[in-house]
Amino acid sequence: MVNQRSTRSETAVDEVVDEIRTFFSSAVGEGVPHPDDDYFALGLVNSLFALELVTHVERTFGLTVEVEDLDLDNFRTMNRIARFVRHKLSETSGGS
Amino acid sequence: MTASTALADAVAFARSAREEAGGWDRRGAIPTDVLDAVAGAGFLAVDVPAEHGGLGRSPAELGELCAAFGGACSALRGLVTVQGMVAAAVLRWGDREQRARWLPALASGARRAAFAATEPGAGTDLSAATTSATPTVGGLRVRGRKLWVTFGAVADVYLVLAALDGKPVAVLVEADRAGVTVEPIGGQLGMRAAHLANLRFDDVVVPQENLVGAPGFGLSHVVATALDHGRFTVAWGCVGLAEACLDLAAAHVGRRSQGGVRLAEHETVRALLGRDLVEASAARRLCEHAAELRARADADAIAETVLAKYAAARAASALSEHAVQLHGAAGCAQDSTVGRFFRDAKVMRIIEGADEPAELRLGEYALRRPGRSR
Ligand SMILES: Cc1cc2nc3c(=O)[nH]c(=O)nc-3n(C[C@H](O)[C@H](O)[C@H](O)COP(=O)(O)OP(=O)(O)OC[C@H]3O[C@@H](n4cnc5c(N)ncnc54)[C@H](O)[C@@H]3O)c2cc1C
């Protein structure tokens, strides 16, 4: 049981990273960053991107990014976004 | 009040404002009783959800209101724009207490808000803003200078872009705090009735709870949300302005004869009106498209709003120029409505993202579009 659940959530993380990577490649074209790259620090994104990313994550995963979630650590890299999304989804599904 | 009656009220209000707007422009101020009437009628921040004291109107309804106001008086539309920008930023990034404290007051108009980002050295590039917010006993100490604040001379609160330890922050600063100096400005090219002001903050202390969003997010998220909202309402205001210019031009050329020929009989005049109709209609459709994407919180809504604002501002600019041309000297007169629209329309191509930086953003949007369905 426990095992199965963790397998499932790991798959979910991969899916989230894939989805985010697709959004990045559409936003920045070639040169999609590594999942652990800080794309803000790399200067890869324009002034509209930060909001577009929030909106995209909210719509794709059906969650709301609250002001408390607005922590650079959550949004700095693709892997961190994925971790954040997984955390948010487990929260909203009643912690089951 | 249903959505359609609210809109009908706004259209009726705009119609009566149209008669007055020339005088407001000449005197450099919409009278404060009119500002109060706009608030009292519920025309401010109409898109704030009911749970926060607003009317919960859709982006399309907000847009139509702005088109109605923009077709009468750009300063009046500007009032809706700046109140809406600050409300949008607080709604999106305020915490529970901030929403409860500010949103009902902004939606009712009990508090007038303005947006203060521009500085002498920071216009298009707002990351160059040097106004500082320094942690101090009792909260934050704000120091710096802001320029070109629409309705800054009559606002109760400003959403101020500043930097805290080098990180962008957005801070609400009440106008009556010690150290705030308001310097009204006038005589600018357009939006003359919009109570513009420059501001000085000389070590103004605000409580920590006036900080909206965490340090680091003030520009990319909080101010960006305000600007995105502002672009949307400016875009719709431009649609109304462009349509009003087309109507006024068509009426004028249908009336005025020279050499025994009505101006409307000239083929070149008709062709110009035909092209103008296409431009005004296209701008309206783009704004409607942006409204639809906003209503469903699509990530493309932000870029499509840039696109709609760019197109609508250019349509307003072109059609007002044509309307002045077709009016001849009457378009150049002091009390000319199309002359006022012409001056106001020029401003629309500079504020909320000038044409050129918008083109760069749209070029990036074009590059990422191939292969994506609409
Ligand atoms: C009537 C009015 C009301 C305003 N209200 C407000 C308000 O309420 N709050 C507020 O904070 N500010 C306000 N502003 C200021 C407005 O937002 C700025 O004027 C605007 O952001 C442009 O900045 P700037 O004037 O410093 O121009 P600059 O940034 O110096 O740009 C000047 C021109 O250079 C060109 N340009 C700029 N960048 C590029 C580029 N990347 N590539 C090519 N060309 C470029 C454009 O043609 C641009 O118009 C207002 C201005 C006016 C006129």
Side-chain angles (χ1 to χ4, degrees):
Chain A
M1 268 279 276
V2 171
N3 255 343
Q4 207 181 345
R5 196 148 87 201
S6 79
T7 313
R8 205 160 48 212
S9 58
E10 251 136 52
T11 317
V13 172
D14 284 348
E15 279 167 13
V16 173
V17 173
D18 276 352
E19 161 55 40
I20 303 283
R21 189 183 286 119
T22 308
F23 183 69
F24 264 81
S25 67
S26 77
V28 303
E30 306 297 307
V32 177
H34 182 273
D36 284 319
D37 283 349
D38 179 340
Y39 43 84
F40 286 115
L42 291 173
L44 284 173
V45 294
N46 69 34
S47 58
L48 302 179
F49 182 79
L51 269 192
E52 289 175 336
L53 179 61
V54 169
T55 313
H56 179 77
V57 165
E58 287 184 325
R59 192 165 138 81
T60 307
F61 302 105
L63 51 83
T64 305
V65 179
E66 297 290 351
V67 67
E68 309 83 77
D69 304 323
L70 202 57
D71 175 341
L72 254 193
D73 283 345
N74 282 337
F75 279 92
R76 210 180 262 288
T77 74
M78 289 196 270
N79 271 339
R80 291 201 183 172
I81 296 171
R83 229 173 294 155
F84 165 74
V85 167
R86 190 175 53 141
H87 171 73
K88 262 313 243 205
L89 291 179
S90 70
E91 236 176 28
T92 50
S93 62
S96 61
Chain B
M1 188 160 57
T2 69
S4 58
T5 61
L7 188 57
D9 290 350
V11 170
F13 187 90
R15 193 172 301 125
S16 65
R18 198 175 292 175
E19 311 296 317
E20 312 286 335
W24 300 340
D25 188 71
R26 221 166 21 256
R27 293 190 291 278
I30 300 177
T32 43
D33 61 319
V34 175
L35 302 181
D36 292 340
V38 172
F43 297 145
L44 295 176
V46 296
D47 54 338
V48 167
E51 61 187 293
H52 298 298
L55 297 174
R57 298 293 180 229
S58 68
E61 289 165 329
L62 168 65
E64 293 291 354
L65 185 151
C66 291
F69 281 19
C73 172
S74 289
L76 203 58
R77 193 274 307 142
L79 179 70
V80 173
T81 291
V82 293
Q83 191 91 353
M85 288 171 81
V86 176
V90 173
L91 175 65
R92 187 67 187 82
W93 301 118
D95 59 26
R96 186 194 297 270
E97 288 77 28
Q98 288 170 329
R99 288 174 182 161
R101 173 151 171 240
W102 293 104
L103 292 177
L106 294 177
S108 70
R111 298 277 208 134
R112 273 187 217 127
F115 172 76
T118 304
E119 296 183 6
T124 301
D125 177 17
L126 287 176
S127 68
T130 58
T131 293
S132 59
T134 314
T136 185
V137 200
L140 296 166
R141 196 174 67 235
V142 180
R143 186 177 185 81
R145 185 164 164 71
K146 294 291 177 183
L147 305 182
W148 295 104
V149 179
T150 299
F151 286 95
V154 293
D156 302 303
V157 61
Y158 308 106
L159 183 67
V160 177
L161 173 66
L164 193 161
D165 292 335
K167 292 180 182 159
V169 287
V171 188
L172 290 161
V173 179
E174 293 90 341
D176 59 1
R177 286 197 184 270
V180 177
T181 308
V182 180
E183 305 159 351
I185 53 179
Q188 71 278 1
L189 179 67
M191 295 192 66
R192 287 188 178 162
H195 295 268
L196 267 88
N198 296 334
L199 308 176
R200 268 205 353 253
F201 302 112
D202 293 310
D203 294 331
V204 180
V205 177
V206 299
Q208 188 70 26
E209 61 258 29
N210 282 25
L211 178 68
V212 183
F217 294 90
L219 180 54
S220 58
H221 294 73
V222 186
V223 161
T225 294
L227 284 171
D228 167 60
H229 197 274
R231 264 178 226 122
F232 182 70
T233 56
V234 169
W236 275 100
C238 287
V239 167
L241 192 159
E243 290 174 347
C245 287
L246 184 59
D247 291 349
L248 290 167
H252 181 77
V253 300
R255 265 195 320 261
R256 172 82 171 165
S257 294
Q258 280 297 282
V261 184
R262 280 191 317 139
L263 296 180
E265 303 304 323
H266 296 295
E267 277 189 6
T268 50
V269 169
R270 287 194 180 202
L272 179 62
L273 292 180
R275 292 198 298 275
D276 284 354
L277 176 61
V278 172
E279 250 194 271
S281 305
R284 176 173 276 277
R285 297 297 172 271
L286 289 170
C287 285
E288 286 168 356
H289 180 59
E292 278 165 33
L293 294 184
R294 296 176 81 86
R296 52 175 204 259
D298 192 301
D300 281 347
I302 296 155
E304 292 283 345
T305 299
V306 174
L307 196 162
K309 187 267 173 179
Y310 174 83
R314 289 172 71 92
S317 174
L319 270 63
S320 62
E321 200 270 333
H322 299 160
V324 170
Q325 184 69 21
L326 290 171
H327 277 74
C332 303
Q334 192 193 27
D335 61 352
S336 164
T337 301
V338 291
R340 170 168 55 87
F341 284 142
F342 174 65
R343 290 185 284 103
D344 287 341
K346 182 69 225 182
V347 171
M348 304 312 151
R349 294 179 59 183
I350 295 172
I351 59 170
E352 258 80 18
D355 280 6
E356 297 84 355
E359 284 171 1
L360 297 177
R361 296 287 89 80
L362 292 170
E364 289 163 6
Y365 185 48
L367 284 167
R368 73 186 208 214
R369 279 179 45 82
R372 287 173 64 196
S373 56
R374 253 173 117 69

